[in-house]
Each structure stands twice: as structure tokens, then as C-alpha cells.
Amino acid sequence: MAKKLPAKDVVLVGFGWTAAILGQELTDAGLDVLAIERGAWRDTSTDFAVTFAQDELRYMWRRALFEEPARETVTFRNAPNQEALPMRHLGSFLPATGVGGAGVHWNGQTWRFLPTDFVARSHNEQRYGPLPADMTVQDWGITYDELEPHYDRFEYLCGISGKAGNLKGQLQPGGNPFEGPRSRDYPNPPLDMVYGPTLFEAAAKATGHKPFPCPAANMSRAYTNPLGVEMGPCTYCGFCEKFGCGNNSKASPQTTVLPVLMRKDNFELRTECEVLRVNFDAAAKRATGVIYIDAQGEEFEQPAEMVIMCAYALHNPRLLLLSGIGMPYDPKTGQGAVGKNYAYQITSGVDVFFDDKILNPFVGAGALGVGIDDYNGDNFDHSGLGFIGGGYLACWDTNARPIEHHPTPEGTPKWGGAWKKAVAKNYLTTASISTHGAVMSHRNNYLDLDPTYRDIYGRPLMRMTFDFTDNEHKMSDYLTDRATDIAKAMNAREVHAKKRTGHYSIVPYQTTHNTGGAIMGADPKTSVVNKYLQSWDLHNLFVLGACAFPQNAGYNPTGTVAALAYHTAAAIKTQYLKNPGFLVQA
């Protein structure tokens, strides 16, 4: 029997970016807020000290910041007619555990989605005609213009380094000309660019493209954010992705929000506690709180007037399914929405080998690079190409870490003396162009509960059914060909294009950009939450994060996740607290 605790105004499930934002906003509104995090406490000075933060073996290979598959994992299959098997080792994506969540180990690439991304179905059908019957792409139920002020708030919270390309409808030289209109420039100028990306920039201009410095949550200079939290300039050590920053130079919950939030009397954090389910009343009209278990195995009932799910994109849909909230998606009938429209990213690369240029790739930062958006979203004419969607191309310099980075030309042996000689020759003289493509939602890509495998608490694991489709392969091939065109213009010794082929594999790392499963929309029959990320079933339940994306765009998701969180917080403060109930009528 769970021990019942005194009620709170708000309980936050998970404590990463979205929970930090909601915690700060709702405590400012006077609410008594509790966050429940299954992982341990982490802060910069004690957990990411500069004396050991750059430990590639500890963080990259031994996964010190990530989930332990022995405790919780997913089962995976490519198609519904296959048997799903557990993911025994983290590979394709790396969900975090602990305070700060994935906001601790991200690279810092902070994009705004394109205006057309939010109306992906209606826009593409209007321009190109009906979409394939098995493509379940949906409009978001919200527009870029509605989210723009909230993108802006997150960028200024984090001190994003970049160059505006569109200020209030006026294109700006040096920025991204394809971005949606923004109300003001980035709070910090772009990072200082290193040699490899400048070579890409020159080649991109020479081939008729429009390169720009990529937006980065790595500080180009000392910065104090609107909450009064100070951050230091980036040292270009390059230990960003999969690492915590010991220099307070990369935006994370720890370096932007928590120094203020953790001091508040009306905020409480309970770590090493896992929420098992969300409770709701007998009429199934409102959430009543959560049941969680602590590190000693004792169960507690935490009543709350409002429950806000802020866990990772894969965990929120699972918790909904385990709690019996909403109708599970059925790919055969198309009915139900919980688990629907799981999506990911599709990536490829082109390696560029030089003889006469020393690039010093060990000088880097998580989002240090030059990109082009000429082939993202619907920025180019898709007529006759056989696909919709797109992605950015970029030359990043994130750090050539010694265990991870071994660039070798085609035909090099995988090991031995010849391999070592090739690594030594090419380590300092190789650049890479990345493609980062969208994934459109399809009928047979979804999440549900596995009928066989269970976690340490006896609950069914999440089952992922996913594969790249013809749309994704055609789009990725197109992006890779365009990247190859630019690579050839860099006048290198050798260019090696690595196209994405075959089925999606869960084994090699690709991105931690899982989306969908609790998607937003304007119709409760085809979505789980409304435009404010409020459940269509329980008016005091909100479900945040990338699980709300109806499909994935060609960008990293964090900027949009945060903008949606600020949008939700504003709606709760200005509308819901005054008149609790559904903010959108079905």
C-alpha cells in the first residue's frame, strides 16, 4: 500500500529542460511545485569538474550519464510482423538519467523549426497534392508565429550564439535567409569559426548556396541571462556531446535555471524516485497525482492539483499507456493516438580528405559549425523528387576525440599497421559534412507496450516499431548528393560519401532525437494533447517534450521542445489558473 503524502499544487515528472522551465515559471506564479526525478542529483562543480569532465572513456564509452539498460530499456523491431527484442546496450540514441536530463549531455545545437514545418500536411498537400495513404503526417495545431516569442525566451535564457537571418521580415546578411522572422537577434554573436567549417563555407558560396554560422548554446563570450545566472565563454575543448560542461559555458538546466529555482521555498526536488503511474479520479476527468517508488523500494502516493509529464520522449508515452490514459494507437485500424507517429532523424555524411591543409579538429565545440538550409523543409521545389521533407547540411567541428575519431579513406583496412598509418596521416587533415534529415510519420512506425518483456518493477517495456521508408531514403540520398557537390568544391584529395542504406538499425549511434507518441494537434481523435500540450482526456494533465511532435523536422529538437514548454507555461499562468478546465474545446 502506497503511503499518501500531503498534496502539492504541481508535480513534475522528470527534471530536465522542460521541468526546469515549468518549475521556474510556475513557482514564479506562486504555486507549490514538486519535481520527481528517477536519477541522481548532478551539478557542475561536483559532477563535471574540469579535472575530470573531459573523460572520453567514462562518458562516451561507459555511458556515465545515461540510462542503464539492465534497469529500463525498449524493445525494438522494424515491422509489426517481427518479434521485438530488448535493446541490451545503448546505441542509436542515448536517453539520459539524472537531474538536467539530456540537457546535460547535448551538443547545444539550438534551432527554430521552419514556419512550414508546423503545417506539414496542409502545406505539402496544397503544393504537391495528396500524400501517400500510409503517411500519417499531421499539422501541429500551432503556428511558428505563436511560438516565436517562446523561441526567443529560450534563446535568451541560454545565451545562444548566432547570427539572425530574418529580423521582423527583413533578411540580414550573414544569417540564415530561410529561417522564420524573429523579433530580435541572438543574445550572443557566433562562435569563432575554425578552419574546416570556413572551407565548407567558401565551397558552399561558390556552388550557389547560402551558408551561415550555426546557432549554438556554447557561449561565444561571458553572458548573464535574464534570471541573473552567469555563464563563461567557451574554451573550445570540444567535450560537449555526451559530456557535462565543467566550464559553465554550455547552456543546461544547471547553468541557466537551477541556481535560481533550487533556492525557492516553494520548489522541492526528489531524486532517485521513479513515477510508476499517473492516478486519475473515478470519472476519468482529472488527474489526482502520481504513484512513485524511492531508492529503498517504498511506494508513495503524491496527490497534486496538476500533473505535468516532463520525462524523455520515449518515457512519456509509456507512462500514459501504463496509466491507462488515452486510447492506444492501433496501426491496423488507425484508431487511437497514444503511441502514434513515432519518428526519428535520418543522417548521412561526406568525408573530405586533404593533403595540404591542417585542420586541427581537436579544437571544437558542440555546435561549432557552418550550415546551409537550402534543402531543409520545403525551402526547395520537391516536384518530381518522390519525397517531402529535407534537412540541413553542415560542417561541424565538435572535437576529434582520440578514441572516437579515426578518419580513414575508402579501402583502408579496419585494423593493423596500415590502419594506424592511415589514421595518423588523416587525423589532422580531414573534415566531414553532415546531413541531418527529417522523418515523416508513417502508419507502421509507432510505440506500444511489449507483451513479453518487463522492467525491474514488473511493468511492460516500451516496444518501438520503426523503419526508414522510401520517402526517407530518397530524401537522404538527395541531401547526400548535394553535400557531395559542395565537398568536391572544397578541392580536396579525396571525397567519400556515406549514404544511408538498408533498414534502420538500433545498434550504431545516430541521434538522440526521438519524437512522437503523444502528439499534439487540433483533433482529439488523432492527437493526445492540444496546442498547449494539455491532455484531451484529463484537463489538469500536461505532456511536454518531443513526444508531442506529429513528425520530425530536419533540425535538432531542443529549441522547439523548450519553446513549447514556455508556451504551455504561459497558458497555465494566464488561462488555466484563472479558470481550470480544457483550454481548447474538442
Side-chain angles (χ1 to χ4, degrees):
M1 185 71 178
K3 179 181 179 180
K4 191 170 184 177
L5 301 171
K8 295 283 187 176
D9 292 333
V10 181
V11 62
L12 305 172
V13 180
F15 197 52
W17 267 125
T18 57
I21 290 169
L22 267 293
Q24 174 65 22
E25 293 295 299
L26 298 184
T27 51
D28 272 358
L31 299 181
D32 187 18
V33 178
L34 166 68
I36 301 176
E37 165 58 43
R38 64 179 179 169
W41 168 257
R42 291 196 178 103
D43 63 34
T44 300
S45 60
T46 56
D47 291 278
F48 311 119
V50 292
T51 52
F52 63 80
Q54 295 92 349
D55 187 337
E56 186 179 0
L57 185 62
R58 177 180 185 177
Y59 293 110
M60 167 60 189
W61 299 101
R62 293 178 177 167
R63 310 299 202 207
L65 299 178
F66 307 123
E67 288 182 2
E68 299 176 41
R71 293 180 59 86
E72 180 172 343
T73 186
V74 299
T75 66
F76 168 73
R77 59 187 181 176
N78 285 126
N81 61 355
Q82 297 174 339
E83 179 185 0
L85 296 174
M87 187 177 180
R88 301 289 188 182
H89 301 277
L90 293 180
S92 175
F93 45 86
L94 301 172
T97 187
V99 168
V104 171
H105 72 80
W106 72 317
N107 254 332
Q109 297 170 21
T110 312
W111 302 89
R112 298 182 175 198
F113 284 8
L114 296 166
T116 55
D117 288 333
F118 297 101
V119 286
R121 185 166 202 97
S122 58
H123 172 83
N124 281 289
E125 288 193 329
Q126 182 179 11
R127 186 171 183 186
Y128 303 112
L131 299 181
D134 64 343
M135 188 179 284
T136 53
V137 169
Q138 297 183 189
D139 290 353
W140 291 53
I142 195 170
T143 66
Y144 172 86
D145 289 342
E146 290 175 281
L147 280 184
E148 196 283 329
H150 307 295
Y151 275 123
D152 180 82
R153 283 202 68 188
F154 185 63
E155 290 165 359
Y156 273 75
L157 175 81
C158 294
I160 302 301
S161 305
K163 177 69 178 73
N166 185 336
L167 279 178
K168 300 179 180 179
Q170 298 296 314
L171 297 185
Q172 305 296 308
N176 180 3
F178 297 102
E179 69 176 356
R182 57 174 60 244
S183 53
R184 53 180 173 169
D185 207 338
Y186 289 101
N188 284 316
L191 292 163
D192 292 334
M193 205 55 62
V194 290
Y195 195 19
T198 65
L199 296 173
F200 170 83
E201 179 181 21
K205 287 180 178 178
T207 50
H209 299 92
K210 301 174 179 65
F212 56 90
C214 295
N218 319 110
M219 300 303 101
S220 61
R221 60 185 179 185
Y223 180 71
T224 302
N225 77 10
L227 297 179
V229 181
E230 297 179 353
M231 303 175 70
C234 180
T235 60
Y236 299 85
C237 77
F239 285 83
C240 294
E241 184 182 22
K242 308 177 184 73
F243 301 84
C245 179
N247 199 48
N248 289 303
S249 303
K250 180 177 72 173
S252 67
Q254 281 87 342
T255 60
T256 58
V257 180
L258 300 194
V260 175
L261 179 59
M262 294 303 298
R263 290 186 171 94
K264 293 185 175 182
D265 292 336
N266 57 336
F267 178 76
E268 180 184 354
L269 169 65
R270 295 176 194 158
T271 59
E272 299 183 81
C273 297
E274 180 153 359
V275 173
L276 300 179
R277 66 180 181 273
V278 176
N279 293 336
F280 49 87
D281 61 15
K285 295 296 183 183
R286 61 185 303 276
T288 58
V290 301
I291 299 292
Y292 74 88
I293 189 168
D294 69 6
Q296 286 71 47
E298 186 173 358
E299 286 193 17
F300 297 88
E301 179 184 353
Q302 178 59 65
E305 291 299 311
M306 194 183 312
V307 176
I308 304 179
M309 295 170 61
C310 300
Y312 189 66
L314 295 175
H315 303 326
N316 280 343
R318 179 175 180 239
L319 190 55
L320 289 172
L321 291 168
L322 291 171
S323 304
I325 299 170
M327 180 183 292
Y329 172 68
D330 183 347
K332 294 180 181 178
T333 65
Q335 301 298 306
V338 183
K340 179 182 178 181
N341 281 26
Y342 172 73
Y344 191 52
Q345 310 272 191
I346 186 167
T347 59
S348 68
V350 180
D351 290 333
V352 187
F353 299 91
F354 296 96
D355 279 330
D356 58 344
K357 294 177 174 62
I358 302 298
L359 304 182
N360 291 332
F362 50 84
V363 180
L368 175 63
V370 172
I372 64 168
D373 249 356
D374 300 61
Y375 308 110
N376 211 338
D378 198 37
N379 293 341
F380 60 105
D381 188 359
H382 289 66
S383 298
L385 296 178
F387 66 86
I388 63 169
Y392 65 75
L393 313 183
C395 182
W396 302 105
D397 208 325
T398 60
N399 185 347
R401 291 181 285 268
I403 304 177
E404 186 179 0
H405 185 72
H406 305 128
T408 55
E410 282 191 278
T412 302
K414 298 298 184 183
W415 194 246
W419 176 82
K420 293 178 182 178
K421 183 177 180 181
V423 171
K425 177 180 179 180
N426 293 285
Y427 177 82
L428 293 176
T429 58
T430 304
S432 183
I433 302 173
S434 301
T435 81
H436 190 276
V439 168
M440 297 296 110
S441 300
H442 287 77
R443 175 184 286 268
N444 285 329
N445 288 340
Y446 64 99
L447 305 171
D448 67 353
L449 297 179
D450 192 279
T452 303
Y453 297 96
R454 296 179 177 269
D455 67 9
I456 59 170
Y457 302 117
R459 303 177 300 169
L461 294 179
M462 175 67 79
R463 179 170 63 178
M464 175 189 297
T465 305
F466 178 76
D467 205 356
F468 296 130
T469 71
D470 189 52
N471 186 85
E472 281 66 63
H473 279 296
K474 286 182 178 179
M475 184 268 295
S476 183
D477 286 350
Y478 183 85
L479 294 182
T480 311
D481 288 342
R482 305 291 76 74
T484 303
D485 293 339
I486 298 173
K488 291 177 178 177
M490 294 171 73
N491 299 317
R493 178 190 82 232
E494 183 177 340
V495 170
H496 178 205
K498 299 178 290 185
K499 288 190 174 183
R500 174 73 59 173
T501 59
H503 296 288
Y504 165 72
S505 171
I506 207 162
V507 176
Y509 181 73
Q510 292 155 71
T511 73
T512 306
H513 302 162
N514 315 81
T515 66
I519 63 176
M520 62 191 297
D523 185 349
K525 293 180 180 179
T526 58
S527 57
V528 176
V529 295
N530 61 29
K531 66 188 295 183
Y532 302 108
L533 306 188
Q534 179 188 41
S535 166
W536 289 110
D537 296 280
L538 310 173
H539 68 76
N540 63 336
L541 174 67
F542 294 80
V543 185
L544 276 63
C547 60
F549 294 9
Q551 54 277 327
N552 212 355
Y555 294 109
N556 307 58
T558 305
T560 299
V561 166
L564 287 169
Y566 273 117
H567 184 253
T568 295
I572 291 173
K573 291 196 299 182
T574 62
Q575 299 179 59
Y576 185 83
L577 294 180
K578 296 177 182 177
N579 185 24
F582 290 105
L583 300 175
V584 177
Q585 297 304 312

